[in-house]
């Protein structure tokens, strides 16, 4: 069983209880304007460039099977149109100016890394958080990981936007110890406008999980001018109260994603809009 | 924050005082030695010299003080020890004019040195004697930077006191000495006369300290008579009373306990200039009975206790480390003298040692924010989380204190070395991270050992590429090696050779101290010197250990892993190509350097490929050093700490196979190479825990955090849990530097605005602006662990 991830971060202390390892699964059905992990959105591998690290050795020029890279006045220029995101250039870029984001990994490979920090989970009441991207977008892979964690008595949290068919959620939920459930906007039209999708499914899934007694922490990204108006926050609070959800975490907005958009050669709409 | 006006004034006085050279001690010693060259045994001569100092040195009582006494004639007036190491006029000029860690040297001081001190001592100091006795091999290795020598300018130290002075006055020690003298068997014991001289010397020292106390009492009485302010008059009368009672008798209350310790501290650090000054050890446990009794009897309030402790704290800060010369100055360019106060831990019978005084002292640490004394928390699994969290709140403020030790592991380390369980539990850490059985052990650090330099020599068949000189044995041209094991065997052979050279030198130096510079006053304080009638420098202590401090573990691990991975396992580079790249300092070969930096498994990432090599480096060092006999009836042990010597050691080494350019700093302590750890603090901790800390006498792990990580309760809990887990995995020590790189850059650019910025360097805290540029750069480069929200 394999899946596509784009990162594993240890010593996560803000993604569920205790010291955790966060596994970032690649691919997301939403396109939130403020997304700070743009490399997480596409399910396919991508190329990230950090030109300031380039030493101008030219190894990438020779490595590229598409002939998409050229050395001009000692500077490397990449034709992103021709780039197939194969990662051949990144493999020979010792200076790490070119990085292929997204790798296919087996459950065993992920678990080997996850298990390294078991002493920290035990000490702190921590565990693993599956995040993304949207982890529910790779349901079979996620299920296998969750089962592997349970076998090893590692606490699991799933950080989800909730946008997945109920059958998918239903097939996974009994293997999950805690849902970190992102809720952005209650207003359907707003939701559609800023994330590219309706929130009907999200709200229905949330309700269904709550009714079945699952442990849920609501996570609300506080995006200035979008989610932070009083009415939206009040409605989220009311919904939480109705569903008996005790914990609401506000996630402050930060612009660290802006740099990533640049590395991906993409436009950061959030910045453009402001 | 609570600080009385008095404390605020004294604290400011301490901060404002300019470190200066005082020639008083040197003059008194010169005058004494001029008159005492006759038929006196060495210990008695040293005791009489000590008494002469205690009788004649200036008595200093600063305005508003409650705890009195200075090492020199005034705060930060710093004495010298010409009998150990006589500064030249040029040394004094350098001290006066150097940019970092200067000491003001007056015209008068220069004149005294030129006319009196230098003519008498030059060529006759311990330092002169040591260098005269060392072999050419030793000198060549020393000059090449393979190792340093601690004892050439300062006496054996790192000594920590147990609780004995809180039960016994100097008169009680005199009674013990008299009993030991009376028990000497001149018929059966050929050493009886030597013991008699030693015991006579100790007795003289007890009298000397009592005299020192009485002189302070007299001075306080005189001040009281002249004092107009009735409150201060009363205080001065109380000071006189305290100084009359202690150190002659056991203390009766908190004030007397603190004053007594302070007299003892001054005695030890005036007698000689031992490394790390002197340490009160488990201060919270020692003071608890006095504190509780004071509260019960309503003779003391918490606020009063706090003020006394704050006054006590300031006394430490008034004593800069004795100024050094030459290479030794580069080893530790700092005013800090490394007196380290231990908090928490367990009691002798193994119970949770955290008490109400522990929390009181943590308040004092936070309020005082002073460079000295250093402080540490001793963390046992039996201690409550609250204790660590309270310390973490102070750590978070970015002042580098307290550092954090694994008390349960330290006890294991000491037991492995042969100490009793109770002595081990009553032990702890001193200096940077070294461990000892408090009040019962002489554990001497003898010098830093440059492991990466030995690797460089190995890669050049024993030749130092900087000088072309054959320094080590010929262990073969590495181009002919066909396996990593062959390379490692060559390294181990070079390592053993240089440890042999160092140990032989140490044997001579230990004997020189035993013969010529015994420490009879210090011997009064350390079991079982009185019972054995032997000096602290000559096997009098119950336990005697000798350490050689390994430096550059991270650099070594990454360099050897690079060789193993690229040359022997993967064949990405030939030995010839790698050596050529090193010789060229990677010039024109940046791609090779990037390969070594980024495509090599590196220590600090919980990557078994690199960590297994680290363990081999550790084991080789352990095997080369541990268990060798010293000359005091004890054994050699290892510890891994650098203070600031990793900068000097790096400056004498060319480019290394981990991609490090020539002349740049080595990794420090057991921390990963600066910037090599990329998987966060849990991975660092896991990697570091793979060496067998139990078989050391201390390791130093440095972690840098930005304030953002620890800004809230979640971050503090994360820190506590990180500590707990590292200690569960038997890690020895961890310290946290909480400051952001931008702040450090700003401090570099505008030092005048950041004079107060204290950072944890490598086992101690220092003012960032006082550090050398190389060290500043190194701190900035050290990986910042942020959570990636």
């Amino acid at each position: 069983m394999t899946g596509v991830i784009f990162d594993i971060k240890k010593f996560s202390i803000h993604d569920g209880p205790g010291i955790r390892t966060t596994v970032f699964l690649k691919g997301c059905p939403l396109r939130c304007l403020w997304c700070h992990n743009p490399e997480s959105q596409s399910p396919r591998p991508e190329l990230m460039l950090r030109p300031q690290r380039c030493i101008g050795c030219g190894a990438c020029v020779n490595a590229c099977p598409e002939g998409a890279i050229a050395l001009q006045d000692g500077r490397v220029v990449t034709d992103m149109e021709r780039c197939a995101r194969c990662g051949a250039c990144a493999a020979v870029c010792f200076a790490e100016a070119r990085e292929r984001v997204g790798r296919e990994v087996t459950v065993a490979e992920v678990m080997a890394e996850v298990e390294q920090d078991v002493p920290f989970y035990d000490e702190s009441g921590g565990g693993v958080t599956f995040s993304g991207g949207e982890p529910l977008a790779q349901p079979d892979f996620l299920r296998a990981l969750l089962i592997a964690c349970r076998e090893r008595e590692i606490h699991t949290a799933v950080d989800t936007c909730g946008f997945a068919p109920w059958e998918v959620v239903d097939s996974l939920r009994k293997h999950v110890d805690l849902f970190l459930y992102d809720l952005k906007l209650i207003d359907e039209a707003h939701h559609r406008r800023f994330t590219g999708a309706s929130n009907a499914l999200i709200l229905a899934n949330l309700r269904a999980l709550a009714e079945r007694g699952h442990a849920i922490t609501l996570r609300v990204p506080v995006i200035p001018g979008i989610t932070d108006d009083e009415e939206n926050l009040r409605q989220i609070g009311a919904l939480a109260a109705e569903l008996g959800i005790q914990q609401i975490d506000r996630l402050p907005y930060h612009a660290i994603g802006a740099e990533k958009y640049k590395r991906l050669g993409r436009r950061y709409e959030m910045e453009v809009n402001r | 924050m609570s600080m009385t006006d008095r404390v605020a004034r004294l604290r400011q006085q301490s901060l404002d005082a300019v470190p200066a050279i005082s020639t008083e001690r040197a003059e008194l010693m010169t005058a004494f030695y001029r008159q005492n060259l006759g038929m006196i045994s060495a210990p008695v001569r040293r005791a009489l010299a000590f008494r002469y100092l205690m009788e004649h040195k200036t008595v200093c009582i600063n305005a508003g003080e409650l705890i009195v006494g200075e090492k020199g004639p005034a705060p930060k007036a710093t004495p010298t020890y010409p009998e150990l190491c006589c500064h030249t006029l040029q040394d004094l000029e350098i001290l006066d004019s150097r940019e970092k860690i200067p000491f003001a040297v007056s015209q008068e001081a220069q004149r005294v040195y030129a006319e009196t001190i230098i003519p008498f001592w030059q060529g006759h100091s311990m330092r002169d004697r040591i260098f005269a006795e060392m072999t050419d091999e030793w000198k060549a290795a020393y000059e090449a930077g393979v190792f340093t020598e601690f004892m050439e300018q300062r006496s054996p130290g790192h000594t920590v006191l147990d609780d004995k002075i809180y039960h016994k006055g100097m008169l009680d020690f005199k009674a013990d000495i008299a009993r030991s003298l009376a028990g000497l068997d001149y018929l059966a014991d050929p050493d009886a006369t030597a013991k008699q001289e030693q015991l006579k010397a100790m007795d003289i020292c007890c009298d000397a300290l009592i005299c020192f106390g009485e002189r302070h009492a007299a001075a306080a009485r005189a001040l009281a008579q002249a004092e107009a302010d009735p409150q201060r008059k009363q205080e001065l009368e109380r000071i006189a009373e305290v100084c009359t009672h202690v150190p002659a008798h056991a203390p009766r209350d908190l004030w007397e306990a603190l004053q007594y310790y302070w007299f003892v501290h001054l005695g030890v650090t005036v007698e000689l200039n031992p490394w790390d000054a002197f340490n009160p050890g488990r201060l919270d446990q020692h003071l608890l009975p006095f504190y509780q009794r004071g509260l019960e009897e309503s003779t003391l309030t918490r606020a009063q206790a706090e003020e006394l402790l704050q006054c006590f704290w300031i006394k430490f800060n008034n004593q800069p480390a004795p100024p050094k010369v030459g290479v030794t100055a580069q080893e530790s360019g700092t005013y800090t003298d490394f007196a380290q106060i231990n908090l928490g831990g367990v009691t002798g019978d193994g119970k949770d040692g955290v008490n109400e005084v522990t929390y009181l002292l943590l308040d004092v640490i936070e309020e005082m924010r002073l460079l000295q004394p250093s402080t540490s928390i001793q963390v046992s699994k039996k201690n409550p989380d609250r204790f660590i969290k309270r310390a973490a709140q102070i750590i978070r403020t970015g002042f580098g204190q307290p550092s954090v030790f694994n008390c349960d592991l330290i006890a294991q380390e000491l037991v492995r070395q042969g100490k009793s369980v109770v002595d081990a539990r009553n032990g702890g850490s001193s200096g940077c991270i070294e461990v000892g059985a408090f009040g019962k052990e002489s554990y001497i650090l003898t010098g830093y050992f440059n492991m990466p330099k030995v690797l460089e020599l190995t890669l050049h068949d024993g030749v130092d590429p900087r000088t072309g000189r054959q320094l080590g044995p010929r262990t073969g041209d590495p181009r002919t090696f066909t396996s990593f094991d062959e390379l490692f065997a060559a390294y181990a052979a070079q390592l053993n050779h240089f440890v042999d050279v160092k140990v032989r030198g140490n044997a001579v130096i230990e004997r020189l101290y035993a013969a010529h510079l015994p420490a009879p006053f210090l011997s009064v304080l350390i079991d079982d010197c009185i019972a054995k009638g032997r000096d602290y420098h000559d096997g009098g202590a119950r336990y005697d250990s000798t350490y050689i401090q390994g430096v550059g573990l991270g650099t070594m691990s990454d360099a050897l892993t690079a060789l193993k991975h690229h040359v022997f396992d993967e064949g990405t580079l030939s030995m010839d190509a790698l050596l050529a790249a090193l010789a060229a300092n990677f010039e024109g070969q940046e791609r090779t350097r990037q390969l070594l930096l980024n495509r090599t498994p590196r220590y600090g990432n919980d990557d078994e490929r690199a960590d297994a090599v680290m363990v081999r480096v550790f084991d080789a060092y352990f095997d080369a050093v541990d268990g060798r006999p010293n000359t005091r009836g004890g054994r050699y042990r290892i510890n891994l700490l650098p203070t600031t010597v990793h900068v000097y050691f790096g400056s004498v080494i060319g480019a290394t196979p981990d991609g490090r350019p020539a002349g740049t700093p080595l990794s420090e302590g057991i921390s990963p190479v600066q910037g090599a750890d990329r998987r966060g603090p849990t991975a660092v901790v896991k990697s570091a825990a793979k060496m067998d800390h139990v078989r050391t006498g201390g390791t130093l792990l440095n972690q840098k955090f930005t304030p953002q990580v620890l800004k809230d309760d979640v971050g503090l809990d994360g820190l506590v849990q990180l500590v707990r887990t590292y200690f569960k995995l038997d890690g020895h020590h961890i310290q946290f530097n909480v400051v952001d790189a931008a702040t450090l850059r700003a401090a570099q650019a505008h030092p005048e605005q950041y004079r107060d910025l204290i950072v944890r360097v490598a086992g101690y805290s220092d003012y960032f602006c006082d550090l050398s540029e190389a060290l500043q750069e190194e701190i900035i480069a050290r990986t910042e662990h942020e959570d990636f929200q």
Side-chain angles (χ1 to χ4, degrees):
Chain A
M1 172 72 65
T2 64
V4 180
I5 65 170
F6 69 93
D7 206 357
I8 296 182
K9 283 267 187 275
K10 299 178 171 184
F11 196 64
S12 288
I13 53 176
H14 291 104
D15 292 318
I19 294 177
R20 311 187 71 81
T21 296
T22 302
V23 181
F24 293 89
L25 281 71
K26 199 156 158 34
C28 183
L30 300 188
R31 288 294 176 270
C32 303
L33 195 66
W34 56 83
C35 181
H36 66 239
N37 282 336
E39 75 277 27
S40 74
Q41 294 176 347
S42 163
R44 299 181 45 234
E46 291 176 74
L47 192 68
M48 274 228 216
L49 303 179
R50 292 181 180 82
Q52 69 276 16
R53 290 191 190 172
C54 176
I55 58 169
C57 70
C60 52
V61 177
N62 300 325
C64 181
E66 311 294 330
I69 311 173
L71 208 53
Q72 289 174 7
D73 309 327
R75 293 193 44 179
V76 167
V77 181
T78 310
D79 181 350
M80 293 306 278
E81 302 282 300
R82 288 168 74 179
C83 171
R85 274 66 169 175
C86 69
C89 57
V92 299
C93 183
F94 299 158
E96 303 195 324
R98 312 177 73 83
E99 184 195 353
R100 188 171 190 246
V101 182
R103 55 192 165 114
E104 192 166 314
V105 289
T106 64
V107 170
E109 283 167 342
V110 173
M111 289 311 297
E113 210 159 321
V114 161
E115 282 189 274
Q116 286 189 304
D117 276 7
V118 164
F120 299 92
Y121 314 150
D122 288 351
E123 186 62 43
S124 66
V128 181
T129 297
F130 295 103
S131 181
E134 172 49 59
L136 297 181
Q138 298 182 53
D140 296 335
F141 181 56
L142 178 61
R143 190 181 309 105
L145 287 168
L146 289 168
I147 290 169
C149 287
R150 176 90 21 112
E151 279 169 0
R152 290 160 179 79
E153 300 199 22
I154 296 171
H155 180 272
T156 57
V158 170
D159 184 5
T160 176
C161 72
F163 193 83
W166 168 249
E167 296 69 41
V168 167
V169 181
D170 194 36
S171 73
L172 289 164
R173 61 182 178 83
K174 64 173 183 288
H175 308 298
V176 178
D177 293 314
L178 172 68
F179 283 95
L180 302 173
Y181 206 102
D182 294 357
L183 201 53
K184 288 111 185 168
L185 291 157
I186 296 288
D187 183 279
E188 211 259 337
H190 278 176
H191 198 278
R192 199 180 281 279
R193 176 173 161 213
F194 290 112
T195 74
S198 157
N199 61 8
L201 183 59
I202 293 170
L203 293 173
N205 285 340
L206 175 62
R207 190 173 289 277
L209 282 174
E211 280 166 1
R212 286 162 178 77
H214 287 281
I216 299 169
T217 295
L218 279 188
R219 311 233 292 177
V220 183
V222 183
I223 312 299
I226 301 179
T227 68
D228 68 341
D229 67 284
E230 222 171 281
E231 181 56 17
N232 186 46
L233 296 177
R234 192 195 60 74
Q235 287 178 336
I236 290 176
L239 179 66
E242 183 203 332
L243 298 178
I245 293 170
Q246 307 286 333
Q247 175 96 20
I248 304 180
D249 290 348
R250 291 163 162 237
L251 308 179
Y253 171 76
H254 51 69
I256 63 164
E259 173 64 24
K260 290 189 190 172
Y261 282 88
K262 219 176 285 167
R263 289 179 203 156
L264 289 166
R266 282 171 49 178
R267 218 160 66 123
Y268 188 29
E269 296 295 339
M270 190 71 185
E271 218 163 49
V272 176
N273 279 10
R274 304 189 104 213
Chain B
M1 291 284 272
S2 77
M3 209 189 293
T4 58
D5 289 347
R6 172 214 313 283
V7 170
R9 253 195 329 272
L10 288 169
R11 181 177 180 275
Q12 198 57 45
Q13 178 189 48
S14 185
L15 288 173
D16 292 344
V18 175
I21 295 293
S22 160
T23 57
E24 181 179 78
R25 186 186 180 283
E27 288 180 82
L28 289 170
M29 285 310 266
T30 308
F32 172 83
Y33 269 83
R34 269 192 215 290
Q35 293 163 11
N36 289 279
L37 287 168
M39 295 281 188
I40 316 172
S41 68
V44 170
R45 177 178 290 115
R46 288 303 299 172
L48 292 173
F50 179 65
R51 191 172 75 189
Y52 190 74
L53 289 168
M54 292 290 106
E55 285 170 347
H56 293 93
K57 76 182 284 304
T58 302
V59 166
C60 171
I61 298 179
N62 296 303
E65 276 189 328
L66 300 178
I67 305 296
V68 299
E70 297 285 346
K71 192 160 78 175
K76 294 192 182 170
T78 309
T80 55
Y81 303 77
E83 70 269 41
L84 256 96
C85 162
C86 184
H87 291 81
T88 63
L89 288 177
Q90 196 196 357
D91 290 334
L92 294 178
E93 265 169 46
I94 293 171
L95 286 176
D96 188 52
S97 61
R98 70 185 179 196
E99 203 181 321
K100 303 288 180 185
I101 323 295
F103 284 85
V105 184
S106 67
Q107 292 283 317
E108 174 63 9
Q110 294 224 16
R111 188 191 62 75
V112 168
Y113 254 79
E115 289 175 9
T116 310
I117 312 300
I118 293 172
F120 189 79
W121 290 105
Q122 199 156 53
H124 305 287
S125 72
M126 179 57 93
R127 185 166 198 248
D128 297 316
R129 188 69 197 271
I130 286 172
F131 281 115
E133 295 288 343
M134 294 299 107
T135 61
D136 289 343
E137 223 174 15
W138 187 97
K139 285 180 198 153
Y142 174 84
E143 281 157 17
V146 176
F147 50 70
T148 65
E149 175 48 56
F150 261 37
M151 249 51 77
E152 45 110 357
Q153 293 181 39
R154 296 189 69 173
S155 63
H158 325 283
T159 321
V160 187
L161 197 54
D162 55 9
D163 65 348
K164 61 171 69 73
I165 65 164
Y166 307 100
H167 309 296
K168 282 183 175 181
M170 285 292 141
L171 292 172
D172 299 307
F173 290 116
K174 279 172 67 77
D176 291 344
I177 292 164
R179 260 192 301 279
S180 200
L181 266 171
L184 288 178
D185 185 346
Y186 293 86
L187 299 180
D189 182 357
D191 294 332
T193 306
K195 291 177 182 175
Q196 166 200 297
E197 292 302 299
Q198 179 65 36
L199 290 163
K200 272 162 61 182
M202 294 188 205
D203 186 66
I204 293 166
C205 290
C206 293
D207 287 334
L209 198 75
I210 294 171
C211 165
F212 191 53
E214 282 169 350
R215 291 180 64 218
H216 282 81
R221 243 173 260 124
L223 283 171
Q225 268 173 7
E227 180 62 54
D229 175 8
Q231 194 201 328
R232 181 60 184 162
K233 189 185 187 74
Q234 207 181 3
E235 282 170 8
L236 285 162
E237 281 163 358
R238 176 80 175 107
I239 290 170
E241 194 191 325
V242 168
C243 296
T244 307
H245 189 79
V246 293
H249 308 280
R252 295 164 298 187
D253 58 26
L254 186 72
W255 194 331
E256 289 182 353
L258 291 171
Q259 182 64 59
Y260 186 9
Y261 174 78
W262 189 246
F263 279 140
V264 165
H265 185 99
L266 293 177
V268 171
T269 55
V270 168
E271 179 182 42
L272 281 171
N273 60 357
W275 279 96
D276 301 346
F278 196 56
N279 300 269
R282 295 292 179 87
L283 198 61
D284 50 353
Q285 293 183 28
H286 300 330
L287 297 181
L288 181 67
F290 299 104
Y291 179 71
Q292 285 178 327
R293 201 181 315 141
L295 294 189
E296 275 163 27
E297 295 171 356
S298 301
T299 52
L300 183 75
T301 64
R302 192 183 197 274
Q304 284 169 337
E306 197 169 359
E307 184 176 42
L308 280 167
L309 286 163
Q310 289 170 333
C311 290
F312 181 69
W313 239 244
I314 292 164
K315 299 309 295 189
F316 283 89
N317 201 57
N318 284 352
Q319 324 299 331
K324 300 180 212 89
V325 299
V327 165
T328 314
Q330 295 185 54
E331 276 171 36
S332 46
T334 174
Y335 288 128
T336 291
D337 208 7
F338 296 95
Q340 189 201 92
I341 290 174
N342 286 206
L343 302 180
V346 294
T347 58
D349 56 356
K351 297 199 175 75
D352 176 8
V354 172
N355 62 48
E356 50 199 308
V357 177
T358 313
Y359 291 106
L360 177 58
L361 287 172
L362 285 167
D363 289 349
V364 169
I365 293 166
E366 187 173 44
E367 287 151 4
M368 290 291 95
R369 278 185 91 79
L370 288 169
L371 206 54
Q372 302 197 78
S374 296
T375 53
S376 67
I377 59 166
Q378 303 288 316
V379 174
S380 164
K381 57 182 181 289
K382 294 174 183 171
N383 297 146
D385 280 352
R386 175 193 162 202
F387 167 53
I388 314 176
K389 205 163 166 181
R390 175 69 187 104
Q393 286 167 346
I394 302 170
I395 291 168
R396 172 169 66 182
T397 64
F399 121 89
Q401 292 205 34
S403 55
V404 185
F405 287 85
N406 184 350
C407 154
D408 303 323
L409 182 84
I410 287 177
Q412 273 191 67
E413 291 167 6
L414 293 172
V415 167
R416 186 198 76 89
Q417 296 176 357
K419 277 111 183 166
S420 79
V421 169
V422 173
D423 287 349
R425 284 180 184 140
N426 282 324
S429 59
S430 63
C432 285
I433 49 82
E434 45 271 37
V435 303
F438 292 175
K440 294 163 185 70
E441 183 174 11
S442 155
Y443 50 109
I444 301 177
L445 275 59
T446 62
Y448 298 110
F449 192 89
N450 193 343
M451 292 191 280
K453 184 73 192 176
V454 175
L455 177 62
E456 184 180 49
L457 291 165
T458 308
L459 292 175
H460 295 86
D461 201 8
V463 173
D464 185 351
R466 287 177 78 226
T467 58
R469 200 166 162 188
Q470 185 80 38
L471 280 188
R474 307 199 70 122
T475 45
D477 181 341
R479 292 171 191 84
T480 66
F481 296 161
T482 54
S483 70
F484 179 68
D485 286 345
E486 211 175 323
L487 171 69
F488 200 88
Y491 165 72
Q494 295 284 353
L495 176 68
N496 274 294
H497 168 78
F498 287 106
V499 172
D500 283 347
V501 172
K502 174 71 177 157
V503 168
R504 177 184 165 160
N506 283 355
V508 173
I509 294 167
E510 281 185 2
R511 287 297 91 203
L512 286 174
Y513 271 93
H516 302 292
L517 279 183
F521 179 63
L522 178 58
S523 301
V524 170
L525 302 163
I526 304 300
D527 301 332
D528 302 312
C529 294
I530 294 176
K532 290 192 205 168
R534 289 184 83 98
D535 193 79
Y536 180 84
H537 291 173
D538 192 23
R542 184 174 300 171
Y543 309 109
D544 275 279
S545 310
T546 303
Y547 283 91
I548 305 172
Q549 306 99 262
V551 173
L553 184 77
T555 304
M556 276 304 291
S557 304
D558 287 1
L560 278 172
T561 307
L563 283 158
K564 180 175 188 296
H565 186 77
H566 293 295
V567 177
F568 295 106
D569 292 353
E570 305 288 324
T572 19
L573 275 174
S574 69
M575 182 67 87
D576 198 44
L578 179 52
L579 292 179
L582 298 183
N585 192 22
F586 301 115
E587 244 158 79
Q589 309 201 42
E590 185 58 20
R591 188 166 151 77
T592 302
R593 196 175 91 85
Q594 294 294 333
L595 171 80
L596 296 168
L597 284 175
N598 296 324
R599 295 297 160 92
T600 307
R602 302 188 76 181
Y603 167 64
N605 297 289
D606 199 7
D607 182 335
E608 197 50 34
R609 295 170 299 171
D611 296 347
V613 174
M614 178 280 288
V615 169
R616 251 179 115 165
V617 173
F618 172 89
D619 285 341
Y621 189 62
F622 177 86
D623 292 341
V625 175
D626 185 84
R628 290 177 184 241
N630 62 25
T631 72
R632 309 185 324 279
R635 303 257 162 211
Y636 272 81
R637 307 296 176 197
I638 63 162
N639 51 17
L640 299 161
L641 76 148
T643 314
T644 61
V645 83
H646 57 295
V647 176
Y648 162 62
F649 274 176
S651 75
V652 299
I653 308 178
T656 39
D658 59 333
R660 174 193 145 278
T664 57
L666 305 178
S667 63
E668 43 83 21
I670 61 164
S671 309
V673 168
Q674 297 78 353
D677 48 321
R678 297 173 185 180
R679 310 235 56 201
T682 62
V684 171
V685 156
K686 280 283 303 290
S687 283
K690 288 178 192 175
M691 76 190 73
D692 188 359
H693 295 249
V694 178
R695 290 186 290 151
T696 73
T699 59
L700 183 149
L701 179 62
N702 208 330
Q703 279 283 283
K704 191 172 162 203
F705 278 100
T706 55
Q708 176 245 341
V709 178
L710 301 174
K711 65 182 186 298
D712 55 15
D713 232 37
V714 175
L716 281 186
D717 286 339
L719 187 97
V720 171
Q721 290 152 357
L722 190 71
V723 166
R724 287 282 199 200
T725 311
Y726 185 46
F727 289 177
K728 184 169 73 177
L729 298 173
D730 284 347
H732 175 86
H733 152 276
I734 187 165
Q735 71 192 24
F736 300 96
N737 231 340
V738 182
V739 69
D740 60 7
T743 307
L744 295 177
R745 285 272 174 230
Q748 251 184 336
H750 307 284
E752 67 287 352
Q753 295 168 27
Y754 292 90
R755 285 276 167 225
D756 61 334
L757 184 64
I758 298 180
V759 289
R760 194 90 191 158
V761 184
Y764 70 103
S765 298
D766 211 332
Y767 290 110
F768 181 76
C769 297
D770 283 343
L771 301 174
S772 69
E773 197 184 326
L775 203 53
Q776 289 180 343
E777 285 298 331
E778 190 249 313
I779 288 185
I780 293 172
R782 208 182 282 155
T783 314
E784 290 181 27
H785 289 291
E786 299 190 47
D787 58 345
F788 301 87
Q789 268 290 297

